[in-house]
Amino acid sequence: MLCLDPVDGSVTASATKTAGKPAGAVAFRHVTKRFAAKHSSVQITVVRNVSLEIEKGEVVSLIGPSGCGKSTLLNMGAGLYTPTEGEVYVGGRRVTRPSPEVAFMLQKDLLMPWRTIVGNVELGMQIRGATRGSRSQRAAELLERCHLKGFELHYPHQLSGGMRQRAALARTLATEPEVLFMDEPFSALDAQTKMVLQQDLAQMLSTEAKTALLITHDLAEAVALSDRVLVMSKRPGTVIEEIRIDLPMRDNPLERRKLSGMNEYIARLMDLLQVGREEHLG
């Protein structure tokens, strides 16, 4: 894979590994996924020959045109889909089914309306057989860090959209996964709430040294939160560019947004997406 400098456009070899046993937290090796078309024997290729590796503790954003297979990659990484070709690894182990090491956070919070907020946060731990005391302690810690202390016994319908997503983030982290897959988790929120939650997420990922793969259409979000941004082509999607974000304060995206270098990265990503769009329209 290639690594592109956003300022001068120079291309250098990336450090992403593609051979041997995966050393990172997440690895896709020559992954292709096809689906059967409805009412037809034709196979539709959604992603093609994707190889990438994410190191432990790294946050990587995935951007690209709608329909290019970003969510399909996350589903394969989580063990919800099986690759048609290639292999996916999490923690050095090949993914063949859903793994307790992986947690998913989506645009919709999917909180259970009949459970209190603390009950929702404890659900995953309860399913895994954690004791009531350990569940209660872990949930209390996370709800306080997610600024939901005092709302433990509220129900989802009593909270704002931003507060519900905070609860969803607490629930995602409660089972202590090694890897987080996030599919546009803040896209339905207003700009101010989104920035606050981005700050919360960045600080919690840094504090807990979590590995994360984030799908987003918000280029500023991708640059503010990430160590690297991967750009996908139109369908069948494959990774066409890797941009390493050489900016400080990944754990403080509000401050990172103020740096002059932010705009250079965003402009380069816009150029890459525009080229993809023109190819698609052509």
Side-chain angles (χ1 to χ4, degrees), residues 142-214:
L142 286 169
L143 287 171
E144 183 170 5
R145 289 168 61 187
C146 288
H147 311 292
L148 287 172
K149 185 176 178 61
F151 293 92
E152 296 89 346
L153 301 182
H154 284 61
Y155 287 87
H157 74 272
Q158 297 174 304
L159 272 59
S160 68
M163 294 173 76
R164 289 169 62 109
Q165 278 300 82
R166 283 199 182 98
L169 175 59
R171 180 187 59 191
T172 300
L173 292 169
T175 56
E176 301 187 73
E178 292 298 317
V179 176
L180 276 69
F181 289 137
M182 297 175 288
D183 196 344
E184 299 189 72
F186 308 135
S187 61
L189 303 175
D190 64 86
Q192 182 176 354
T193 302
K194 179 190 289 191
M195 291 179 68
V196 171
L197 284 176
Q198 288 169 354
Q199 187 82 354
D200 291 342
L201 173 64
Q203 291 175 351
M204 295 180 78
L205 290 176
S206 178
T207 299
E208 300 208 0
K210 297 298 183 186
T211 307
L213 180 58
L214 167 70

Side-chain angles (χ1 to χ4, degrees), residues 218-232:
D218 183 337
L219 302 185
E221 178 175 76
V223 176
L225 292 175
S226 306
D227 298 297
R228 287 184 290 141
V229 179
L230 304 179
V231 184
M232 290 188 69

Side-chain angles (χ1 to χ4, degrees), residues 88-106:
V88 182
Y89 295 86
V90 171
R93 291 178 288 277
R94 186 178 178 184
V95 176
T96 57
R97 59 180 183 271
S99 167
E101 295 180 355
V102 174
F104 227 133
M105 187 172 176
L106 305 173

Side-chain angles (χ1 to χ4, degrees), residues 68-111:
C68 71
K70 300 183 295 295
S71 295
T72 298
L73 284 176
L74 260 62
N75 282 320
M76 288 190 286
L80 302 177
Y81 292 164
T82 301
T84 306
E85 298 172 10
E87 299 173 334
V88 182
Y89 295 86
V90 171
R93 291 178 288 277
R94 186 178 178 184
V95 176
T96 57
R97 59 180 183 271
S99 167
E101 295 180 355
V102 174
F104 227 133
M105 187 172 176
L106 305 173
Q107 178 179 340
K108 295 182 178 180
D109 58 71
L110 300 179
L111 297 175

